[in-house]
Amino acid sequence: MVPESDETPAILYVDLHLVHEVTSPQAFAALRNRGLTVRRPERTLATMDHSTPTRADVLYGGLPAGPARDQINMLQKNCRDFGIELHDLDSKQRGIVHVMGPELGATQPGSTIVCGDSHTSTHGAFGALAFGIGTTEVAHVLATQCLLQRKPRTLAVNVSGRSAAGVSAKDLVLAIIGKLGVGGGTGHVIEYRGAAIAGLDMEQRMTVCNMSIEAGARAGLIAPDDTTFEYLAGRPMTPTGVQWDHALANWRELPTEAGAEFDREIDIDAAALEPMLTYGTNPGMVLPITGRVPQANGDTGMRRALDYMGLNPGEALIGRPVDVVFVGSCTNGRLSDLRDVATVLAGRRVADGVRMLVVPGSQDIKRQAESEGLDRVFTDAGAEWRESGCSMCIAMNGDRVAAGQYAVSTSNRNFEGRQGAGARTLLASPLTAAAAAVAGKISDPREYLR
Amino acid sequence: MEPLTQLTSKTVVLPNADIDTDQIIPARFLTTTESAGLGQHAFSDWRFDSDGSPKPDFVLNRPEAGGCEVLVAGDNFGCGSSREHAAWALRDFGFRAVISTTIADIFRSNALKNGIVPVEVDTATQQWLFENPGAEVTIDIGHRQLQLPDGRRCEFAIDDFARYCLLYGVDPLGHLLSQEKAINDYERAHHCTP
């Protein structure tokens, strides 16, 4: 809206501001302290996901008293007081904020989208410029619908080839983060390009863009195309009639022009990839599932990570027993992810001693999964089927992994303590997670697809 | 925010690379609706045993760390999430500056908004600071300089606007609010009004 100069950052107009219960209370307090209102409540969409319980009896039976309930009550009050639409606990469309936005059609190509959550990068799958902001900035956007920003650098990730069966979008993005490193994208917006990206459906594209932040990037995006437009058509918040035609014409102008230069480029061949698995304490510490844990070679960070994970250099990941399997999160809690899991679980049982939690990304996904009978596949196999929420990805709502336990998780972070103090997380695709659940140990998902 | 022009303090060294926001403040403390008081939980899982007793060998628990306002860290400090609670916790714990070779984007932005100066240095300077824990350094925001006790002066980059806000204690929200006319004009031109 206002270009940047040496003295001042650019002023970026925000088309959509997503709000949730954890990073917003202090922002609303700042508005109240200064006597400010929300400038564009109709461009602000709120829900609760991080600290909401996923057990139906707890969620609908009256939340237990405590700080999480206070946080939820505060969001309800703030939305009421400031005139913001809230998808409350009883909403049929409530879900993880980055799952719900696209489902409602609120996420649209070419728009600027922010949220006080780093995985806002998910919405880049639609060709939107979408990134996470801090709570002070949440207050800025609430009050002015604008954000101060410096222009980022650009990074092209060119993905050629076609993934083999059993190798999913999650494996692709883990491989990309492994190549870039957890700080490798710092200061950049990533554009994912190439035939392999164009061949992904929207749910897979969201998985890829979701984890851009895990390489340190500010945002990740994918050029909108017919796949994008078909996904959006007919959703509750997308334009209709003449306005749809007008929007479509605009969206078709958005892709990066041929021959555009990027500050940096990397190439990946999707055909060469195997299912991937993290072994360490950040998402860049990643291996093909058939690989061996690397030597520390005097790297104290690696040594520390392996100590935390209880792994030794040179050992294979396949065959290691697991305690917990978590399927869900804004990375892999969508319908196609649940279908992948059901493919492996159908007619099989979760191994004795393994706890498996399947948490849909939204209530909409929950209903769709149930209409397809996926919930029965999960529960017949011995897995727990829950209400939607962030659940074990961030372990704020009562779902957590105990200290010392090994979890194979479809979420986005394997940081120390992320899934509970002392928890040991191995990030993987839904297929790999399901294979681990059935086998009771790390297993190659390709063996379950024959 | 109080103006901050210059800072002189001993350093405390936490040489780990990729210190993420989940370490700076674990998620279980994010149910708060306040921003004050989070210092007690800073680096909680590194500072305390599971029974809540302090780990005596952890650097932030050692007596010499008391009063240190400058944290020297490994590469890629503050990676992970947008949780501003990380910046609130560090500030409440007593830190006013973080020195690393690279500082993650959103953390950097959150730090600056809470009076914490992110200082990026080259590997050699970082290594010197690692080898000399407790060194008294001066961070001169006006001159964009880190001064080491041996007399060396290292330039560091800081966004002009962020520097201005630190030096004069300016709240960036005031700047945005002053752009009311430009925002109105933009909304009219782009049919953003309901």
Side-chain angles (χ1 to χ4, degrees):
Chain A
M1 194 189 85
V2 177
E4 69 178 5
S5 68
D6 286 349
E7 291 77 31
T8 50
I11 298 178
L12 185 71
Y13 192 80
V14 173
D15 296 311
L16 175 66
H17 184 197
L18 300 164
V19 172
H20 66 88
E21 77 278 23
V22 175
T23 59
S24 67
Q26 298 87 349
F28 283 109
L31 258 58
R32 283 199 176 88
N33 288 340
R34 297 176 66 140
L36 297 167
T37 57
V38 174
R39 183 180 176 90
R40 290 282 162 234
E42 78 285 358
R43 287 176 174 264
T44 312
L45 191 58
T47 194
M48 46 230 352
D49 50 11
H50 284 66
S51 44
T52 59
T54 61
R55 268 174 47 186
D57 58 329
V58 182
L59 186 63
Y60 303 120
L63 297 175
R69 187 176 78 177
D70 295 346
Q71 212 166 44
I72 286 165
N73 290 345
M74 194 164 280
L75 183 64
Q76 290 165 336
K77 175 175 166 45
N78 284 330
C79 288
R80 231 174 13 244
D81 290 359
F82 289 92
I84 294 168
E85 186 186 358
L86 169 67
H87 282 276
D88 211 333
L89 295 178
D90 57 356
S91 161
K92 288 188 161 55
Q93 289 158 319
R94 186 182 67 85
I96 304 174
V97 67
H98 311 308
V99 176
M100 190 187 81
E103 280 179 344
L104 290 172
T107 300
Q108 295 176 14
S111 55
T112 51
I113 302 176
V114 299
C115 174
D117 188 282
S118 50
H119 293 104
T120 310
S121 61
T122 312
H123 307 268
F126 292 79
L129 178 63
F131 49 88
I133 56 176
T135 296
T136 300
E137 291 177 320
V138 170
H140 291 178
V141 179
L142 289 172
T144 67
Q145 203 58 30
C146 290
L147 194 64
L148 293 162
Q149 277 289 302
R150 288 286 180 189
K151 190 179 168 193
R153 293 189 290 277
T154 55
L155 167 58
V157 173
N158 305 307
V159 191
S160 59
R162 192 189 154 128
S163 299
V167 178
S168 65
K170 178 62 160 286
D171 301 306
L172 170 61
V173 72
L174 284 172
I176 292 168
I177 297 161
K179 187 156 177 164
L180 282 171
V182 278
T186 301
H188 293 79
V189 169
I190 298 175
E191 182 179 342
Y192 301 95
R193 300 151 64 83
I197 297 297
L200 300 177
D201 66 27
M202 289 314 296
E203 302 202 341
Q204 294 167 330
R205 291 181 189 185
M206 284 189 255
T207 299
V208 171
C209 288
N210 173 273
M211 290 191 69
S212 304
I213 186 76
E214 263 39 272
R218 273 196 219 173
L221 50 81
I222 293 172
D225 59 12
D226 287 341
T227 303
T228 322
F229 310 142
E230 279 161 27
Y231 177 95
L232 285 171
R235 295 201 175 254
M237 292 177 76
T238 43
T240 52
V242 178
Q243 281 171 329
W244 169 262
D245 297 337
H246 182 66
L248 203 57
N250 284 335
W251 294 345
R252 288 196 193 282
E253 299 294 312
L254 291 171
T256 306
E257 62 272 26
E261 289 193 10
F262 291 80
D263 294 314
R264 231 180 115 194
E265 299 204 33
I266 65 162
D267 299 317
I268 297 255
D269 178 10
L273 297 179
E274 287 189 78
M276 305 295 285
L277 198 65
T278 63
Y279 59 87
T281 53
N282 72 52
M285 294 173 156
V286 64
L287 277 178
I289 194 163
T290 56
R292 287 177 180 276
V293 175
Q295 300 295 326
N297 290 336
D299 178 340
T300 51
M302 175 77 82
R303 186 68 260 167
R304 187 189 156 88
L306 295 184
D307 284 348
Y308 180 86
M309 294 298 293
L311 295 172
N312 295 308
E315 75 176 300
L317 293 174
I318 283 181
R320 285 201 64 88
V322 304
D323 304 295
V324 178
V325 172
F326 170 64
V327 174
S329 86
C330 58
T331 313
N332 281 124
R334 283 173 285 264
L335 192 62
S336 57
D337 301 313
L338 303 185
R339 287 178 180 149
D340 276 357
V341 171
T343 308
V344 176
L345 252 48
R348 298 190 173 102
R349 291 280 307 168
V350 173
D352 286 346
V354 175
R355 180 184 183 206
M356 184 181 196
L357 206 63
V358 185
V359 184
S362 71
Q363 294 303 95
D364 217 31
I365 290 169
K366 179 168 189 278
R367 267 192 314 280
Q368 289 179 62
E370 289 174 354
S371 72
E372 292 183 15
L374 301 181
D375 59 319
R376 290 296 302 274
V377 175
F378 303 143
T379 52
D380 286 353
E384 297 173 49
W385 173 241
R386 295 295 186 87
E387 304 295 309
S388 65
C390 296
S391 185
M392 266 191 197
C393 176
I394 192 164
M396 280 185 74
N397 70 340
D399 302 337
R400 66 173 67 90
V401 177
Q405 287 193 324
Y406 286 92
V408 177
S409 175
T410 67
S411 54
N412 39 53
R413 289 185 173 154
N414 53 348
F415 297 150
E416 286 181 32
R418 173 77 178 183
Q419 291 195 277
R424 293 158 161 170
T425 299
L426 296 94
L427 301 175
S429 75
L431 283 173
T432 305
V438 168
K441 57 191 180 188
I442 306 291
S443 300
D444 193 324
R446 292 171 293 192
E447 290 173 17
Y448 291 82
L449 299 176
R450 290 181 195 132
Chain B
M1 207 158 64
E2 291 292 302
L4 180 66
T5 53
Q6 191 168 299
L7 176 68
T8 297
S9 166
K10 288 184 174 171
T11 59
V12 59
V13 173
L14 204 51
N16 312 40
D18 306 316
I19 294 175
D20 58 77
T21 47
D22 276 85
Q23 306 323 310
I24 301 170
I25 181 99
R28 61 184 181 277
F29 303 116
L30 304 187
T31 49
T32 177
T33 51
E34 306 287 326
S35 52
L38 284 169
Q40 58 182 315
H41 305 306
F43 296 102
S44 186
D45 290 341
W46 291 0
R47 274 166 67 204
F48 303 106
D49 280 324
S50 50
D51 67 359
S53 55
K55 297 178 182 176
D57 55 338
F58 182 61
V59 64
L60 295 184
N61 288 335
R62 288 208 283 264
E64 59 268 29
C68 288
E69 294 182 310
V70 178
L71 177 67
V72 179
D75 306 343
N76 193 33
F77 182 83
C79 62
S81 86
S82 62
R83 61 179 75 160
E84 196 163 324
H85 308 69
W88 296 332
L90 288 180
R91 177 70 198 265
D92 195 51
F93 191 80
F95 289 118
R96 300 300 310 267
V98 176
I99 304 178
S100 173
T101 52
T102 40
I103 295 173
D105 276 335
I106 312 181
F107 175 80
R108 161 188 286 273
S109 168
N110 286 337
L112 284 163
K113 290 177 180 63
N114 289 282
I116 298 173
V117 194
V119 178
E120 284 183 346
V121 296
D122 58 36
T123 308
T125 305
Q126 180 195 44
Q127 196 56 40
W128 188 92
L129 289 163
F130 281 176
E131 288 162 8
N132 294 274
E136 187 170 272
V137 300
T138 294
I139 294 166
D140 183 334
I141 294 139
H143 294 96
R144 300 179 171 87
Q145 258 185 6
L146 167 70
Q147 296 163 12
L148 303 183
D150 61 5
R152 259 186 300 162
R153 288 157 188 267
C154 313
E155 305 286 324
F156 65 89
I158 182 167
D159 178 77
D160 280 343
F161 183 71
R163 172 172 164 269
Y164 169 80
C165 290
L166 281 175
L167 288 173
Y168 297 99
V170 172
D171 174 4
L173 178 54
H175 173 68
L176 278 171
L177 289 167
S178 75
Q179 303 295 306
E180 172 86 21
K181 184 181 177 308
I183 302 171
N184 284 336
D185 290 349
Y186 178 89
E187 288 185 332
R188 243 191 318 276
H190 292 79
H191 311 289
C192 294
T193 42

